Amino acid sequence: MPKRESYSDLFTGESDNGFRDIIDGSSDSESRQKLKKILLNIIKNELTPRQKEIIMLYYFKGIDIVRIGEQLNITPQAVSAAMSRAKVRIFRILKYYI
């Protein structure tokens, strides 16, 4: 019988570093500005209203998942799930531009 893989629930935020680097990057290079513009267009045009709101609150306003859940009257797990689906959608579209 194969051994079960253990599930880790630890959130380190390492997967967000690339995303935050695009948004908050201190470099004002032309390519970074172009990438940021593409990213904002994807967020604006391709995400559901709930996903868009969660992404904007988390990455642009710096509000944590628990506070977003309280503000939107949903559980932190629902916030996390919506954010995960939004990031998958963003990166699926973004890979065509890179």
Side-chain angles (χ1 to χ4, degrees), residues 15-23 39 43 55 59 90-91:
S15 62
D16 287 337
N17 287 342
F19 202 80
R20 287 187 189 280
D21 189 41
I22 294 170
I23 295 168
L39 180 62
I43 292 169
I55 291 292
Y59 288 104
I90 289 168
F91 288 121

Side-chain angles (χ1 to χ4, degrees), residues 19 27 29 35 38 42-43 51 59 68 71 79 84 93:
F19 202 80
S27 172
S29 69
L35 187 58
I38 291 168
I42 292 170
I43 292 169
Q51 290 173 341
Y59 288 104
I68 293 171
Q71 188 172 345
V79 173
S84 294
I93 296 168

Side-chain angles (χ1 to χ4, degrees), residues 35-90:
L35 187 58
K36 187 173 181 178
K37 185 176 179 180
I38 291 168
L39 180 62
L40 290 173
N41 281 332
I42 292 170
I43 292 169
K44 179 181 174 187
N45 298 319
E46 301 295 332
L47 299 182
T48 66
R50 164 88 28 110
Q51 290 173 341
K52 188 184 314 182
E53 187 172 15
I54 289 170
I55 291 292
M56 296 304 276
L57 289 171
Y58 186 77
Y59 288 104
F60 292 90
K61 303 265 182 176
I63 302 173
D64 65 29
I65 291 174
V66 174
R67 301 277 185 262
I68 293 171
E70 291 170 355
Q71 188 172 345
L72 299 178
N73 217 12
I74 58 176
T75 66
Q77 293 84 1
V79 173
S80 181
M83 190 171 4
S84 294
R85 286 190 300 274
K87 287 192 290 188
V88 166
R89 185 176 230 169
I90 289 168

